[in-house]
Amino acid sequence: MPERAAAAPRQLPVSVMSKSFRLRVGLFGAVVALGLPALPASAGVVARIDQSHQRMRVFVDGMPAYEWPVSTARRGFVTPNGAYRVGRMATMWRSHKYHGAPMPHAMFFRGGYAIHGTYSVGSLGRRASHGCIRLSPGHAATLFRLARDYGGAAVVIRN
């Protein structure tokens, strides 16, 4: 018996698609077109770092919870843009690369790059690090606790 050719997929006219469906498709297209990283919907804690303003906004369950000054990479160093998940976490870490420098409440998101506390709080709000994202010790402890309580965190970094 000869095989039947598969019917071509039917395309619905735009007028039949729901308004909310068209909006979701449009937003997804905008995210892709602008190159913005998409994150899983399950990310309970999201830290968004804006390098041009040296600020971190923390969202918990999709709602804004905190906004803090940070320090990212100074001239000659890089804080990588992109979307990441926090991997290793340590309440106190000492840098293997920078002479044992203390990194309280370190949350590693890409290799040796981490969000962590700093005792150089006078530098917060301007570029000062070797690539990590520095926060005040208290803010780092708060973010660390949230990530631990929610089973991790997403990190989104942009210029």
Side-chain angles (χ1 to χ4, degrees):
M1 188 151 129
E3 291 183 34
R4 281 179 54 172
R10 199 174 81 165
Q11 194 155 1
L12 295 173
V14 172
S15 61
V16 175
M17 291 185 238
S18 75
K19 189 179 216 177
S20 66
F21 176 78
R22 288 194 311 264
L23 180 62
R24 285 192 308 265
V25 169
L27 288 174
F28 178 74
V31 165
V32 171
L34 293 173
L36 299 175
L39 290 173
S42 63
V45 177
V46 179
R48 292 186 175 272
I49 295 89
D50 181 341
Q51 293 194 69
S52 63
H53 293 101
Q54 294 295 291
R55 304 291 293 177
M56 173 188 289
R57 293 183 72 200
V58 178
F59 295 82
V60 178
D61 289 333
M63 301 299 295
Y66 300 99
E67 184 170 345
W68 300 314
V70 297
S71 289
T72 61
R74 66 181 185 238
R75 187 181 309 271
F77 296 90
V78 173
T79 298
N81 287 320
Y84 308 95
R85 294 288 306 171
V86 168
R88 184 175 64 233
M89 294 175 58
T91 53
M92 177 51 82
W93 188 263
R94 295 232 173 237
S95 172
H96 296 216
K97 190 171 183 178
Y98 296 106
H99 314 291
M103 299 166 60
H105 296 100
M107 301 168 53
F108 291 87
F109 58 88
R110 179 182 166 192
Y113 290 98
I115 298 171
H116 63 82
T118 182
Y119 302 116
S120 301
V121 293
S123 297
L124 294 174
R126 64 178 190 265
R127 296 175 180 273
S129 81
H130 290 107
C132 286
I133 298 164
R134 298 179 184 175
L135 290 166
S136 75
H139 295 158
T142 298
L143 183 61
F144 189 93
R145 194 169 31 259
L146 282 170
R148 184 191 60 214
D149 292 349
Y150 279 80
V155 178
V156 180
I157 305 167
R158 67 178 181 88
N159 279 336

